[in-house]
Amino acid sequence: MTTQTKAQTPADPRDEIVTYLPALRAFARGLTGNVTSADDLVQDTVLKAWSKFDQFHEGTNLRAWLFTILRNTFLSQQRKRAKEVADSSGSFAAKLASKPDHDGRLALQELNEALKTLPVEQREALLLVGALGFSIEEAAETCGCAPGTIKSRANRGRKALAEILHLEKGEQLDSTDSSVTAVMAASPTIF
């Protein structure tokens, strides 16, 4: 009776995947020409098939479905690689270096500490014009003073910040943080 029950119960098609692995590997090796790349391609194929098994229609050809997934994965990888630039010497990669994000946070902390030492009038002028992007006229209206007063406060504040942050004349604050850069953006007359 147990033999009949097993024969009547259809096997899970997922169990059949293992039987096709050698043929998938052979096909992948033929496509890639590399054992490691072939194994990676087969692994990607099995993962895709497993995650999309709900799209497999029982009674259809599982082997053909798996080979189609493998072929399509290979072709997608080829298209992706065609857009990549070979950089065996590393010269392109060396040009793409970027500063770590923490530099901006450290500079922002240092700037915040320096801003706290400034008189309130200079601080608000720098924040409105530099960090928040207000025009001189908008900042003057906000502070209830003349535009020339805002220019003067911002100029004195930038000079004071440059001294506190030990910036040399003409030196820019090196920061990856746009807020820090905006506040310290100086006109040529400041330093």
Side-chain angles (χ1 to χ4, degrees):
M1 184 166 166
T2 57
T3 321
Q4 288 179 339
T5 310
K6 285 184 182 178
Q8 292 173 353
T9 306
D12 186 355
R14 292 174 208 193
D15 296 336
E16 290 181 56
I17 290 177
V18 176
T19 61
Y20 299 121
L21 287 179
L24 287 168
R25 288 184 77 210
F27 185 51
R29 282 184 185 175
L31 291 174
T32 64
N34 180 309
V35 175
T36 306
S37 296
D39 287 343
D40 290 344
L41 182 57
V42 170
Q43 182 177 356
D44 289 345
T45 300
V46 171
L47 286 173
K48 286 180 181 180
W50 200 268
S51 67
K52 303 290 183 184
F53 225 90
D54 59 320
Q55 296 177 9
F56 176 73
H57 300 291
E58 197 156 333
T60 59
N61 189 340
L62 177 63
R63 182 174 186 236
W65 187 66
L66 291 170
F67 275 75
T68 301
I69 292 172
L70 187 138
R71 181 181 174 274
N72 289 342
T73 302
F74 173 74
L75 293 175
S76 294
Q77 290 173 353
Q78 291 299 102
R79 282 190 294 272
K80 183 179 175 184
R81 285 189 187 115
K83 295 176 186 176
E84 294 174 354
V85 176
D87 187 21
S88 58
S89 66
S91 60
F92 291 119
K95 294 176 186 176
L96 298 175
S98 64
K99 292 184 178 235
D101 290 338
H102 63 79
D103 284 352
R105 286 193 292 273
L106 294 174
L108 186 57
Q109 287 174 348
E110 189 177 347
L111 178 64
N112 280 333
E113 293 301 316
L115 277 170
K116 289 177 187 176
T117 65
L118 296 178
V120 175
E121 296 83 14
Q122 292 176 8
R123 189 176 338 144
E124 69 185 2
L126 282 175
L127 292 173
L128 289 172
V129 175
L132 298 174
F134 279 45
S135 68
I136 297 292
E137 291 75 22
E138 290 171 327
E141 187 178 321
T142 301
C143 294
C145 62
T149 304
I150 290 294
K151 286 181 185 179
S152 176
R153 289 176 182 174
N155 193 31
R156 285 193 316 265
R158 284 187 185 125
K159 282 183 183 178
L161 279 177
E163 287 176 22
I164 295 167
L165 297 172
H166 307 292
L167 295 177
E168 300 295 324
K169 185 173 183 163
E171 182 183 1
Q172 294 293 322
L173 183 64
D174 196 18
S175 171
T176 56
D177 189 281
S178 57
S179 299
V180 173
T181 306
V183 170
M184 289 307 293
S187 65
T189 61
I190 292 177
F191 298 114

